[in-house]
Amino acid sequence: MRFVTLIATLLGAVVAPRRGVGSRTTQRIGPAWQVGFSRQSDLEFRRLLDKLPAAAYTCDADGLITYFNDHAVELWGREPRLRHPSDRFCGSFLLFAPDGSPIPHADCWMALALRENRQYNGEEIIIERKDGTRCTVLAHANPLHDRAGRIIGAVNVLVDITDRKRAETVLREADRSKNEFLAMLAHELRNPLAPMHSALRLMRLTDDAAALMHARGTLERQLGHLTRVVDDLLDLARITRNTLELRRERIDLRSVLHQAVETCRPQLESASQALSVNLTDEPMQLDADPHRLAQLFGNLLNNASKYTEARGRVWLTAERQGSDAIVTVRDNGIGIAPEAVARIFDMFIRVDESVQRAHDGLGIGLSLARRVVELHGGTIEASSAGLGMGSEFRVHLPLTIERSRTLGPTLAGESDEAIAVRPRRILIVDDNPDSAESLAELLALSGHETHVAHDGAAAVEAARALRPEVVVLDIGLPKMNGYEAAREIRRQPHGSEVMLVALTGWGQDEDRRKSRDAGFDHHLVKPIDYRVFARLLREAS
Ligand code: ADP
């Protein structure tokens, strides 16, 4: 080991007092071995050790410290005494093995290197400083020899890996959470499948109206659940990539809250829980994304119901406080332990699995809630008097000051029936036959003439032959993708008149830009929201 040889050669020089940490003057190298090196060698030695990006110290053959550099002082938190028995081998610091067991000074790596005349490299060790703080280091302890081969001391280079260890722990924890999450996800995705299979089977076997109605209800509920899980997953991806976006419009917060209540009402009713809603009479105008806010408050209400016993109570209040809207969702349910309150907004956190195994959920809802609130410039906090004492979630959102403008359109509370649309000839293109047919059937029920195609080339042909007024195009299509098909359709004689709607699983800005460039008029993300689609049809002249 060249470095050790070099130090061994240089050691022993009589060194003049040198600058210590701060402005004090400290003698860091004692007159260990008077072997007569030149002052020049000594300076080179000091420069070398000063530049070393690690803590380094040396001791003589008795283990008394003869040298240490600045990094060593930083690491230990104080300077050890040179050539002093109380700081023998490595100072009077407490040392521990990685498993936490204490290491006596006489058995530390420096002592072993001297006693056994052998090298110990890359040995992990924990040092506890006088103030109780700990750091993890890799020790490289090596004996030093004179020209005759006799041990004259040892050198120890300590590399601080505390940050790396901390990062490792965080990664290990993240990996554990990820595995738990995947297990939970598999469970969440599989759960709705069995009742859906049974319901479909039942529909095939019976004509009984009541049984059919029941089966349809089951399908709707379970499909709703699956859709929520998939939506959560997509949102999770958006949160982790920081690409969650808002589609802001002027809204009245109260209509969003009504919408959230309506979404959760079936769940509250099935658990016979009483919901008290107390909203201010004044309008509460926000420039906000109504869909995200309805999702946020829907999540809080959903949780309030989920973590509350049957026949429990849930309260929703909204009031104005200065220039903020304060929305509170409170319940008298299982509550949250004080130590868990700060963590519940973290991703994948599900408090005390034993209590909550009975409840479904991926532990994403509250992280998403926090992100959505932050994007709106607000805050969210949770509180609970403890387990069994109920919980409260308080959301602050900044109100829009200007009050004269009329409220913009909102979908909140708008029913499908409210949107009357003139019948159109619509071509639906999707390589998944079920998706295409089901959308076509639904639109046909509203009086539209519908046609389907399953690849890009067929879509272009169908558009030429049928001259539809509206084409709903999937993007990932065989033979010719949706962008190319859109361009081809636009090139047709009547291509500029047709309304082109991209219907895809991708909803990032970049995806929207691409579809605009390809000539699409609108970009909708699957699953299609019929009210939004009907609105587009109505707005098109
Ligand atoms: P989940 O899908 O598990 O409900 P969330 O992110 O919505 O995920 O919530 C995270 C955790 O916070 C839940 O698993 C639960 O432990 C706790 N929690 C959320 N809301 C409540 C509540 N109203 N009462 C008690 N605990 C709650």
Side-chain angles (χ1 to χ4, degrees):
M1 191 182 184
R2 270 180 68 208
F3 170 63
V4 171
T5 318
L6 179 62
I7 292 184
T9 315
L10 292 171
L11 271 173
V14 179
V15 176
R18 60 191 297 277
R19 194 177 51 78
V21 166
S23 58
R24 281 172 302 150
T25 301
T26 317
Q27 184 171 357
R28 292 279 178 80
I29 299 184
W33 302 280
Q34 310 273 347
V35 289
F37 283 103
S38 69
R39 193 169 177 76
Q40 184 56 32
S41 309
D42 164 52
L43 281 173
E44 279 168 23
F45 168 61
R46 283 167 55 187
R47 241 180 258 135
L48 171 77
L49 291 174
D50 282 348
K51 288 225 166 77
L52 206 64
Y57 69 103
T58 60
C59 64
D60 65 15
D62 292 327
L64 300 183
I65 293 183
T66 49
Y67 170 81
F68 53 87
N69 68 4
D70 285 350
H71 287 299
V73 179
E74 275 165 33
L75 195 80
W76 290 323
R78 73 164 172 87
E79 295 181 2
R81 277 150 293 187
L82 284 175
R83 303 182 63 78
H84 200 284
S86 66
D87 278 343
R88 205 154 169 247
F89 297 125
C90 43
S92 51
F93 304 96
L94 292 178
L95 304 173
F96 299 88
D99 67 4
S101 53
I103 301 178
H105 278 183
D107 291 336
C108 71
W109 301 115
M110 194 68 140
L112 293 180
L114 276 175
R115 194 160 68 224
E116 297 171 3
N117 191 16
R118 55 171 282 207
Q119 302 181 3
Y120 287 94
N121 286 313
E123 304 290 351
E124 195 172 311
I125 184 167
I126 296 161
I127 298 175
E128 185 174 302
R129 305 179 178 107
K130 225 186 175 116
D131 64 4
T133 57
R134 289 182 169 204
C135 58
T136 309
V137 300
L138 288 181
H140 303 77
N142 290 260
L144 301 170
H145 304 99
D146 63 11
R147 286 184 187 122
R150 285 179 303 242
I151 292 188
I152 53 171
V155 59
N156 198 354
V157 177
L158 302 172
V159 179
D160 188 352
I161 56 164
T162 313
D163 289 346
R164 202 177 84 195
K165 289 304 269 189
R166 214 171 282 141
E168 267 174 29
T169 311
V170 171
L171 278 178
R172 234 193 322 273
E173 180 58 24
D175 192 47
R176 198 184 55 80
S177 302
K178 186 199 73 191
N179 289 337
E180 272 175 18
F181 169 75
L182 288 177
M184 192 79 71
L185 179 61
H187 168 86
E188 289 286 302
L189 290 175
R190 206 182 307 113
N191 254 355
L193 295 182
M196 286 173 87
H197 277 301
S198 316
L200 272 174
R201 206 174 146 70
L202 194 83
M203 288 172 107
R204 228 182 287 127
L205 294 178
T206 181
D207 289 333
D208 179 65
L212 283 175
M213 179 98 94
H214 180 74
R216 207 183 70 195
T218 304
L219 276 177
E220 275 171 2
R221 267 191 311 281
Q222 299 302 329
L223 192 66
H225 181 66
L226 268 181
T227 310
R228 271 196 304 280
V229 173
V230 174
D231 283 347
D232 274 0
L233 282 178
L234 290 174
D235 285 338
L236 165 71
R238 291 187 189 112
I239 295 181
T240 46
R241 281 180 310 185
N242 220 359
T243 54
L244 199 69
E245 285 169 9
L246 298 184
R247 307 203 167 276
R248 286 182 192 262
E249 52 186 89
R250 183 66 56 88
I251 56 161
D252 185 346
L253 180 60
R254 295 170 309 165
S255 63
V256 166
L257 293 173
H258 279 303
Q259 196 185 351
V261 166
E262 285 322 305
T263 319
C264 295
R265 204 178 284 287
Q267 183 183 328
L268 289 155
E269 279 171 4
S270 72
S272 309
Q273 290 160 338
L275 171 68
S276 312
V277 181
N278 190 356
L279 308 183
T280 160
D281 292 334
E282 286 180 83
M284 300 179 104
Q285 292 182 41
L286 298 178
D287 279 321
D289 184 327
H291 168 72
R292 288 289 177 199
L293 286 191
Q295 181 189 22
L296 152 73
F297 293 114
N299 256 337
L300 295 183
L301 286 168
N302 197 39
N303 277 351
S305 163
K306 195 160 76 170
Y307 300 114
T308 297
E309 301 292 332
R311 284 174 291 284
R313 296 205 60 180
V314 177
W315 293 264
L316 168 70
T317 54
E319 58 186 348
R320 197 179 250 284
Q321 226 175 62
S323 57
D324 277 355
I326 316 279
V327 182
T328 313
V329 177
R330 187 161 67 87
D331 62 63
N332 65 349
I334 65 171
I336 308 167
E339 66 277 7
V341 170
R343 286 190 300 127
I344 56 171
F345 292 100
D346 291 345
M347 193 71 84
F348 307 142
I349 290 300
R350 309 197 66 231
V351 182
D352 190 359
E353 290 294 322
S354 57
V355 184
Q356 313 208 339
R357 199 156 290 147
H359 307 287
D360 54 22
L362 291 169
I364 295 175
L366 286 181
S367 334
L368 178 64
R370 182 170 59 183
R371 189 76 196 114
V372 167
V373 170
E374 283 170 358
L375 284 174
H376 281 93
T379 57
I380 178 168
E381 69 232 19
S383 58
S384 168
L387 285 176
M389 307 297 286
S391 312
E392 181 174 302
F393 289 80
R394 240 170 123 74
V395 177
H396 291 236
L397 289 169
L399 287 163
T400 306
I401 306 298
E402 180 200 355
R403 299 173 97 185
S404 55
R405 265 176 62 179
T406 48
L407 288 183
T410 168
L411 288 174
E414 193 170 36
S415 71
D416 294 354
E417 293 74 16
I419 306 173
V421 181
R422 163 172 85 75
R424 307 290 175 101
R425 184 157 53 252
I426 304 177
L427 172 63
I428 296 142
V429 190
D430 198 312
D431 59 337
N432 180 333
D434 280 349
S435 301
E437 304 294 345
S438 57
L439 180 56
E441 273 169 35
L442 257 159
L443 293 173
L445 280 177
S446 311
H448 300 289
E449 176 189 331
T450 56
H451 302 268
V452 296
H454 301 305
D455 64 60
V460 174
E461 266 327 294
R464 199 188 313 277
L466 297 163
R467 289 227 219 126
E469 293 159 89
V470 180
V471 180
V472 180
L473 259 174
D474 186 15
I475 297 294
L477 289 170
K479 295 196 184 155
M480 185 189 285
N481 71 30
Y483 300 128
E484 291 168 76
R487 287 199 173 89
E488 284 297 318
I489 294 172
R490 282 282 184 239
R491 278 189 211 116
Q492 293 175 357
H494 298 278
S496 58
E497 293 156 26
V498 61
M499 179 166 120
L500 289 183
V501 181
L503 178 59
T504 137
W506 308 105
Q508 304 296 318
D509 274 357
E510 177 61 10
D511 305 309
R512 291 174 193 278
R513 189 191 56 72
K514 276 197 207 154
S515 53
R516 215 172 23 245
D517 289 352
F520 280 100
D521 297 300
H522 302 287
H523 183 112
L524 298 181
V525 178
K526 288 178 182 177
I528 193 166
D529 182 331
Y530 295 102
R531 287 176 308 164
V532 174
F533 185 62
R535 177 185 287 274
L536 294 184
L537 290 182
R538 192 181 51 176
E539 282 171 1
S541 57

PDB file of all heavy atoms in Angstrom, residues 303-304 306-307 331 334-336 344 349-351 356 360-367 391 393, ligand 1:
ATOM      1  N   ASN A 303     -62.501   8.603   3.509  1.00  0.00           N
ATOM      2  CA  ASN A 303     -61.696   8.144   4.644  1.00  0.00           C
ATOM      3  C   ASN A 303     -62.468   8.273   5.952  1.00  0.00           C
ATOM      4  O   ASN A 303     -62.434   7.383   6.802  1.00  0.00           O
ATOM      5  CB  ASN A 303     -60.408   8.963   4.766  1.00  0.00           C
ATOM      6  CG  ASN A 303     -59.313   8.452   3.842  1.00  0.00           C
ATOM      7  OD1 ASN A 303     -59.453   7.404   3.243  1.00  0.00           O
ATOM      8  ND2 ASN A 303     -58.226   9.197   3.739  1.00  0.00           N
ATOM      9  N   ALA A 304     -63.160   9.414   6.104  1.00  0.00           N
ATOM     10  CA  ALA A 304     -63.906   9.648   7.347  1.00  0.00           C
ATOM     11  C   ALA A 304     -64.902   8.506   7.552  1.00  0.00           C
ATOM     12  O   ALA A 304     -65.069   7.992   8.663  1.00  0.00           O
ATOM     13  CB  ALA A 304     -64.623  10.989   7.280  1.00  0.00           C
ATOM     14  N   LYS A 306     -64.706   5.476   6.010  1.00  0.00           N
ATOM     15  CA  LYS A 306     -63.991   4.189   6.054  1.00  0.00           C
ATOM     16  C   LYS A 306     -63.410   3.904   7.443  1.00  0.00           C
ATOM     17  O   LYS A 306     -63.413   2.766   7.900  1.00  0.00           O
ATOM     18  CB  LYS A 306     -62.863   4.260   5.009  1.00  0.00           C
ATOM     19  CG  LYS A 306     -62.254   2.943   4.647  1.00  0.00           C
ATOM     20  CD  LYS A 306     -61.534   3.037   3.302  1.00  0.00           C
ATOM     21  CE  LYS A 306     -60.212   3.752   3.379  1.00  0.00           C
ATOM     22  NZ  LYS A 306     -59.415   3.629   2.146  1.00  0.00           N
ATOM     23  N   TYR A 307     -62.907   4.952   8.097  1.00  0.00           N
ATOM     24  CA  TYR A 307     -62.250   4.747   9.386  1.00  0.00           C
ATOM     25  C   TYR A 307     -63.174   5.090  10.560  1.00  0.00           C
ATOM     26  O   TYR A 307     -62.733   5.522  11.622  1.00  0.00           O
ATOM     27  CB  TYR A 307     -60.936   5.538   9.435  1.00  0.00           C
ATOM     28  CG  TYR A 307     -59.992   5.080   8.342  1.00  0.00           C
ATOM     29  CD1 TYR A 307     -59.629   5.908   7.288  1.00  0.00           C
ATOM     30  CD2 TYR A 307     -59.505   3.773   8.345  1.00  0.00           C
ATOM     31  CE1 TYR A 307     -58.793   5.461   6.269  1.00  0.00           C
ATOM     32  CE2 TYR A 307     -58.677   3.314   7.327  1.00  0.00           C
ATOM     33  CZ  TYR A 307     -58.326   4.163   6.296  1.00  0.00           C
ATOM     34  OH  TYR A 307     -57.518   3.705   5.296  1.00  0.00           O
ATOM     35  N   ASP A 331     -64.654  13.275  11.884  1.00  0.00           N
ATOM     36  CA  ASP A 331     -65.438  12.058  12.144  1.00  0.00           C
ATOM     37  C   ASP A 331     -65.264  11.660  13.598  1.00  0.00           C
ATOM     38  O   ASP A 331     -64.394  12.173  14.299  1.00  0.00           O
ATOM     39  CB  ASP A 331     -64.989  10.925  11.196  1.00  0.00           C
ATOM     40  CG  ASP A 331     -63.535  10.534  11.386  1.00  0.00           C
ATOM     41  OD1 ASP A 331     -63.182  10.068  12.486  1.00  0.00           O
ATOM     42  OD2 ASP A 331     -62.732  10.712  10.437  1.00  0.00           O
ATOM     43  N   ILE A 334     -62.094   5.818  14.345  1.00  0.00           N
ATOM     44  CA  ILE A 334     -61.020   5.130  15.075  1.00  0.00           C
ATOM     45  C   ILE A 334     -59.877   6.068  15.494  1.00  0.00           C
ATOM     46  O   ILE A 334     -59.053   5.707  16.319  1.00  0.00           O
ATOM     47  CB  ILE A 334     -60.430   3.963  14.249  1.00  0.00           C
ATOM     48  CG1 ILE A 334     -59.745   4.478  12.984  1.00  0.00           C
ATOM     49  CG2 ILE A 334     -61.487   2.942  13.921  1.00  0.00           C
ATOM     50  CD1 ILE A 334     -58.957   3.408  12.246  1.00  0.00           C
ATOM     51  N   GLY A 335     -59.839   7.272  14.922  1.00  0.00           N
ATOM     52  CA  GLY A 335     -58.814   8.244  15.327  1.00  0.00           C
ATOM     53  C   GLY A 335     -57.421   7.844  14.855  1.00  0.00           C
ATOM     54  O   GLY A 335     -57.236   6.813  14.199  1.00  0.00           O
ATOM     55  N   ILE A 336     -56.450   8.691  15.175  1.00  0.00           N
ATOM     56  CA  ILE A 336     -55.071   8.466  14.729  1.00  0.00           C
ATOM     57  C   ILE A 336     -54.153   8.636  15.938  1.00  0.00           C
ATOM     58  O   ILE A 336     -54.283   9.611  16.691  1.00  0.00           O
ATOM     59  CB  ILE A 336     -54.676   9.487  13.637  1.00  0.00           C
ATOM     60  CG1 ILE A 336     -55.713   9.505  12.504  1.00  0.00           C
ATOM     61  CG2 ILE A 336     -53.290   9.194  13.078  1.00  0.00           C
ATOM     62  CD1 ILE A 336     -55.596  10.674  11.559  1.00  0.00           C
ATOM     63  N   ILE A 344     -49.055  10.484   8.162  1.00  0.00           N
ATOM     64  CA  ILE A 344     -50.109   9.937   7.304  1.00  0.00           C
ATOM     65  C   ILE A 344     -50.185  10.585   5.923  1.00  0.00           C
ATOM     66  O   ILE A 344     -50.811  10.036   5.042  1.00  0.00           O
ATOM     67  CB  ILE A 344     -51.508   9.988   7.962  1.00  0.00           C
ATOM     68  CG1 ILE A 344     -51.841  11.399   8.361  1.00  0.00           C
ATOM     69  CG2 ILE A 344     -51.611   9.039   9.129  1.00  0.00           C
ATOM     70  CD1 ILE A 344     -53.276  11.506   8.797  1.00  0.00           C
ATOM     71  N   ILE A 349     -48.371   5.320   3.254  1.00  0.00           N
ATOM     72  CA  ILE A 349     -48.498   5.120   4.698  1.00  0.00           C
ATOM     73  C   ILE A 349     -49.915   4.682   5.043  1.00  0.00           C
ATOM     74  O   ILE A 349     -50.899   5.326   4.676  1.00  0.00           O
ATOM     75  CB  ILE A 349     -48.134   6.422   5.470  1.00  0.00           C
ATOM     76  CG1 ILE A 349     -46.640   6.679   5.369  1.00  0.00           C
ATOM     77  CG2 ILE A 349     -48.563   6.329   6.934  1.00  0.00           C
ATOM     78  CD1 ILE A 349     -45.759   5.585   5.937  1.00  0.00           C
ATOM     79  N   ARG A 350     -49.986   3.556   5.722  1.00  0.00           N
ATOM     80  CA  ARG A 350     -51.267   3.075   6.241  1.00  0.00           C
ATOM     81  C   ARG A 350     -50.999   2.761   7.697  1.00  0.00           C
ATOM     82  O   ARG A 350     -50.196   1.904   8.018  1.00  0.00           O
ATOM     83  CB  ARG A 350     -51.734   1.837   5.486  1.00  0.00           C
ATOM     84  CG  ARG A 350     -51.722   2.050   3.976  1.00  0.00           C
ATOM     85  CD  ARG A 350     -52.537   1.015   3.252  1.00  0.00           C
ATOM     86  NE  ARG A 350     -53.940   1.140   3.581  1.00  0.00           N
ATOM     87  CZ  ARG A 350     -54.695   0.137   3.974  1.00  0.00           C
ATOM     88  NH1 ARG A 350     -54.170  -1.048   4.115  1.00  0.00           N
ATOM     89  NH2 ARG A 350     -55.958   0.309   4.254  1.00  0.00           N
ATOM     90  N   VAL A 351     -51.658   3.531   8.563  1.00  0.00           N
ATOM     91  CA  VAL A 351     -51.349   3.416   9.986  1.00  0.00           C
ATOM     92  C   VAL A 351     -51.828   2.071  10.521  1.00  0.00           C
ATOM     93  O   VAL A 351     -52.904   1.611  10.176  1.00  0.00           O
ATOM     94  CB  VAL A 351     -52.031   4.560  10.759  1.00  0.00           C
ATOM     95  CG1 VAL A 351     -51.679   4.497  12.224  1.00  0.00           C
ATOM     96  CG2 VAL A 351     -51.628   5.890  10.153  1.00  0.00           C
ATOM     97  N   GLN A 356     -56.344  -1.772  10.509  1.00  0.00           N
ATOM     98  CA  GLN A 356     -56.937  -1.349   9.255  1.00  0.00           C
ATOM     99  C   GLN A 356     -56.956  -2.401   8.175  1.00  0.00           C
ATOM    100  O   GLN A 356     -57.330  -2.106   7.056  1.00  0.00           O
ATOM    101  CB  GLN A 356     -56.163  -0.145   8.756  1.00  0.00           C
ATOM    102  CG  GLN A 356     -55.974   0.822   9.890  1.00  0.00           C
ATOM    103  CD  GLN A 356     -55.857   2.217   9.407  1.00  0.00           C
ATOM    104  OE1 GLN A 356     -55.541   2.395   8.262  1.00  0.00           O
ATOM    105  NE2 GLN A 356     -56.120   3.163  10.241  1.00  0.00           N
ATOM    106  N   ASP A 360     -59.954  -1.359   2.659  1.00  0.00           N
ATOM    107  CA  ASP A 360     -59.134  -1.356   1.450  1.00  0.00           C
ATOM    108  C   ASP A 360     -58.449   0.005   1.331  1.00  0.00           C
ATOM    109  O   ASP A 360     -58.702   0.921   2.092  1.00  0.00           O
ATOM    110  CB  ASP A 360     -59.986  -1.676   0.220  1.00  0.00           C
ATOM    111  CG  ASP A 360     -61.188  -0.767   0.105  1.00  0.00           C
ATOM    112  OD1 ASP A 360     -61.154   0.325   0.694  1.00  0.00           O
ATOM    113  OD2 ASP A 360     -62.162  -1.144  -0.554  1.00  0.00           O
ATOM    114  N   GLY A 361     -57.557   0.139   0.380  1.00  0.00           N
ATOM    115  CA  GLY A 361     -56.854   1.412   0.209  1.00  0.00           C
ATOM    116  C   GLY A 361     -55.381   1.164  -0.010  1.00  0.00           C
ATOM    117  O   GLY A 361     -54.846   0.150   0.426  1.00  0.00           O
ATOM    118  N   LEU A 362     -54.767   2.111  -0.721  1.00  0.00           N
ATOM    119  CA  LEU A 362     -53.358   1.938  -1.088  1.00  0.00           C
ATOM    120  C   LEU A 362     -52.440   2.890  -0.337  1.00  0.00           C
ATOM    121  O   LEU A 362     -51.233   2.865  -0.519  1.00  0.00           O
ATOM    122  CB  LEU A 362     -53.181   2.166  -2.588  1.00  0.00           C
ATOM    123  CG  LEU A 362     -53.798   1.110  -3.501  1.00  0.00           C
ATOM    124  CD1 LEU A 362     -53.793   1.590  -4.935  1.00  0.00           C
ATOM    125  CD2 LEU A 362     -53.054  -0.195  -3.379  1.00  0.00           C
ATOM    126  N   GLY A 363     -53.009   3.758   0.487  1.00  0.00           N
ATOM    127  CA  GLY A 363     -52.157   4.719   1.186  1.00  0.00           C
ATOM    128  C   GLY A 363     -51.647   5.813   0.260  1.00  0.00           C
ATOM    129  O   GLY A 363     -50.574   6.365   0.470  1.00  0.00           O
ATOM    130  N   ILE A 364     -52.427   6.121  -0.775  1.00  0.00           N
ATOM    131  CA  ILE A 364     -52.012   7.172  -1.713  1.00  0.00           C
ATOM    132  C   ILE A 364     -52.858   8.425  -1.517  1.00  0.00           C
ATOM    133  O   ILE A 364     -52.401   9.540  -1.700  1.00  0.00           O
ATOM    134  CB  ILE A 364     -52.199   6.685  -3.177  1.00  0.00           C
ATOM    135  CG1 ILE A 364     -51.268   5.514  -3.467  1.00  0.00           C
ATOM    136  CG2 ILE A 364     -51.929   7.799  -4.170  1.00  0.00           C
ATOM    137  CD1 ILE A 364     -51.481   4.911  -4.833  1.00  0.00           C
ATOM    138  N   GLY A 365     -54.120   8.212  -1.106  1.00  0.00           N
ATOM    139  CA  GLY A 365     -55.107   9.294  -1.081  1.00  0.00           C
ATOM    140  C   GLY A 365     -54.634  10.557  -0.388  1.00  0.00           C
ATOM    141  O   GLY A 365     -54.770  11.655  -0.940  1.00  0.00           O
ATOM    142  N   LEU A 366     -54.040  10.431   0.796  1.00  0.00           N
ATOM    143  CA  LEU A 366     -53.663  11.641   1.532  1.00  0.00           C
ATOM    144  C   LEU A 366     -52.435  12.328   0.931  1.00  0.00           C
ATOM    145  O   LEU A 366     -52.329  13.544   0.994  1.00  0.00           O
ATOM    146  CB  LEU A 366     -53.441  11.330   3.013  1.00  0.00           C
ATOM    147  CG  LEU A 366     -54.715  11.071   3.821  1.00  0.00           C
ATOM    148  CD1 LEU A 366     -54.389  10.809   5.275  1.00  0.00           C
ATOM    149  CD2 LEU A 366     -55.685  12.246   3.701  1.00  0.00           C
ATOM    150  N   SER A 367     -51.506  11.548   0.346  1.00  0.00           N
ATOM    151  CA  SER A 367     -50.357  12.201  -0.311  1.00  0.00           C
ATOM    152  C   SER A 367     -50.868  13.007  -1.491  1.00  0.00           C
ATOM    153  O   SER A 367     -50.416  14.123  -1.748  1.00  0.00           O
ATOM    154  CB  SER A 367     -49.338  11.205  -0.866  1.00  0.00           C
ATOM    155  OG  SER A 367     -49.367  10.031  -0.195  1.00  0.00           O
ATOM    156  N   SER A 391     -61.127  11.834  14.066  1.00  0.00           N
ATOM    157  CA  SER A 391     -60.060  12.581  13.377  1.00  0.00           C
ATOM    158  C   SER A 391     -60.644  13.829  12.735  1.00  0.00           C
ATOM    159  O   SER A 391     -61.845  13.892  12.478  1.00  0.00           O
ATOM    160  CB  SER A 391     -59.450  11.738  12.256  1.00  0.00           C
ATOM    161  OG  SER A 391     -59.145  10.468  12.720  1.00  0.00           O
ATOM    162  N   PHE A 393     -59.625  16.677   9.538  1.00  0.00           N
ATOM    163  CA  PHE A 393     -58.733  17.154   8.470  1.00  0.00           C
ATOM    164  C   PHE A 393     -59.195  18.558   8.100  1.00  0.00           C
ATOM    165  O   PHE A 393     -60.382  18.775   7.837  1.00  0.00           O
ATOM    166  CB  PHE A 393     -58.785  16.209   7.259  1.00  0.00           C
ATOM    167  CG  PHE A 393     -58.113  14.899   7.534  1.00  0.00           C
ATOM    168  CD1 PHE A 393     -58.774  13.902   8.238  1.00  0.00           C
ATOM    169  CD2 PHE A 393     -56.807  14.680   7.144  1.00  0.00           C
ATOM    170  CE1 PHE A 393     -58.154  12.701   8.535  1.00  0.00           C
ATOM    171  CE2 PHE A 393     -56.165  13.483   7.437  1.00  0.00           C
ATOM    172  CZ  PHE A 393     -56.842  12.491   8.138  1.00  0.00           C
TER     173      PHE A 393
HETATM  174  P1  ADP B   1     -55.758   4.655   2.402  1.00  0.00           P
HETATM  175  O1  ADP B   1     -55.958   4.228   0.982  1.00  0.00           O
HETATM  176  O2  ADP B   1     -55.006   3.659   3.211  1.00  0.00           O
HETATM  177  O3  ADP B   1     -57.012   5.114   3.060  1.00  0.00           O
HETATM  178  P2  ADP B   1     -54.844   7.417   2.623  1.00  0.00           P
HETATM  179  O4  ADP B   1     -53.610   8.054   2.081  1.00  0.00           O
HETATM  180  O5  ADP B   1     -56.152   8.010   2.247  1.00  0.00           O
HETATM  181  O6  ADP B   1     -54.745   5.878   2.267  1.00  0.00           O
HETATM  182  O7  ADP B   1     -54.728   7.453   4.207  1.00  0.00           O
HETATM  183  C1  ADP B   1     -53.514   7.072   4.797  1.00  0.00           C
HETATM  184  C2  ADP B   1     -53.765   6.514   6.179  1.00  0.00           C
HETATM  185  O8  ADP B   1     -54.192   7.567   7.051  1.00  0.00           O
HETATM  186  C3  ADP B   1     -54.886   5.478   6.230  1.00  0.00           C
HETATM  187  O9  ADP B   1     -54.419   4.192   5.897  1.00  0.00           O
HETATM  188  C4  ADP B   1     -55.298   5.588   7.677  1.00  0.00           C
HETATM  189  O10 ADP B   1     -54.369   4.858   8.466  1.00  0.00           O
HETATM  190  C5  ADP B   1     -55.084   7.048   8.022  1.00  0.00           C
HETATM  191  N1  ADP B   1     -56.356   7.815   7.940  1.00  0.00           N
HETATM  192  C6  ADP B   1     -56.775   8.576   6.916  1.00  0.00           C
HETATM  193  N2  ADP B   1     -57.967   9.158   7.193  1.00  0.00           N
HETATM  194  C7  ADP B   1     -58.305   8.748   8.435  1.00  0.00           C
HETATM  195  C8  ADP B   1     -59.429   9.005   9.300  1.00  0.00           C
HETATM  196  N3  ADP B   1     -60.447   9.813   8.937  1.00  0.00           N
HETATM  197  N4  ADP B   1     -59.429   8.407  10.518  1.00  0.00           N
HETATM  198  C9  ADP B   1     -58.407   7.602  10.903  1.00  0.00           C
HETATM  199  N5  ADP B   1     -57.318   7.321  10.129  1.00  0.00           N
HETATM  200  C10 ADP B   1     -57.264   7.893   8.911  1.00  0.00           C
END
